[in-house]
Amino acid sequence: MTVTKNIHGYYEYNFMRKGVRYHRSFKGLSYEDVKELEIALKSELIRGRYDISKRKVYRLSDIFAMYEEYSLAHHSRPNERGYVFKWFLKIVGNKEADKVTCSDFTKYINSRNSNCCKVCSISSCVIPIYLNVIDGLE
């Protein structure tokens, strides 16, 4: 049984096929609905119609715009970290998300000076967003 309930109470599927993990959580769907979606995905994989290499390319500006939209809806102080993203884009450039390397983060950290607030922290704002994109958007 690959359809389970996660710690947030939503149903999700989680299975492996040819060494690739397929995992997705669904908010508001019943067990039967998620089971049907899992069966549909497995049949697409078996037929070879689902190509994971055709993923959408996300640029850093796209990710930060999505986070800004999310922040406006879910945070009490939505514009609190916007300056950090703008500073990061200025230093690193508008790269594709999967092309960002550790050296880019190091360059950003080393470039922080009196122009950038001492409160901003790379670990509290940029890295979690980047990791969510790499894991796959839901």
Side-chain angles (χ1 to χ4, degrees):
M1 180 170 101
T2 60
V3 175
T4 58
K5 202 178 244 192
N6 65 17
I7 59 172
H8 303 291
Y10 307 134
Y11 286 103
E12 62 184 14
Y13 62 70
N14 185 7
F15 64 91
M16 296 282 289
R17 170 141 173 92
K18 293 187 178 180
V20 178
R21 177 179 179 237
Y22 295 90
H23 173 263
R24 186 152 180 213
S25 178
F26 297 92
K27 183 176 183 179
L29 294 181
S30 68
Y31 175 85
E32 291 80 21
D33 295 336
V34 175
K35 191 69 176 169
E36 287 177 15
L37 290 170
E38 178 202 22
I39 291 169
L41 177 62
K42 283 184 178 180
S43 66
E44 293 283 322
L45 290 170
I46 290 169
R47 291 185 192 131
R49 294 184 186 161
Y50 187 80
D51 187 8
I52 199 163
S53 65
K54 292 183 181 179
R55 296 190 330 187
K56 184 177 178 187
V57 175
Y58 288 95
R59 299 191 87 53
L60 288 176
S61 61
D62 299 334
I63 296 167
F64 295 154
M66 285 186 279
Y67 178 77
E68 194 173 72
E69 182 182 321
Y70 173 85
S71 181
L72 286 171
H74 294 90
H75 293 141
S76 60
R77 295 183 292 179
N79 299 325
E80 187 174 80
R81 293 185 177 144
Y83 67 93
V84 177
F85 298 140
K86 290 174 187 163
W87 189 263
F88 187 77
L89 277 176
K90 182 179 174 185
I91 301 300
V92 175
N94 191 17
K95 291 184 169 185
E96 294 177 6
D98 52 351
K99 302 279 193 266
V100 176
T101 62
C102 285
S103 63
D104 293 326
F105 290 113
T106 305
K107 188 189 324 181
Y108 166 76
I109 291 168
N110 292 337
S111 71
R112 292 186 297 178
N113 56 21
S114 61
N115 296 336
C116 186
C117 178
K118 291 180 175 61
V119 177
C120 69
S121 167
I122 188 72
S123 63
S124 68
C125 53
V126 177
I127 292 175
I129 294 171
Y130 175 69
L131 293 176
N132 285 336
V133 169
I134 298 305
D135 289 340
L137 295 173
E138 296 185 69

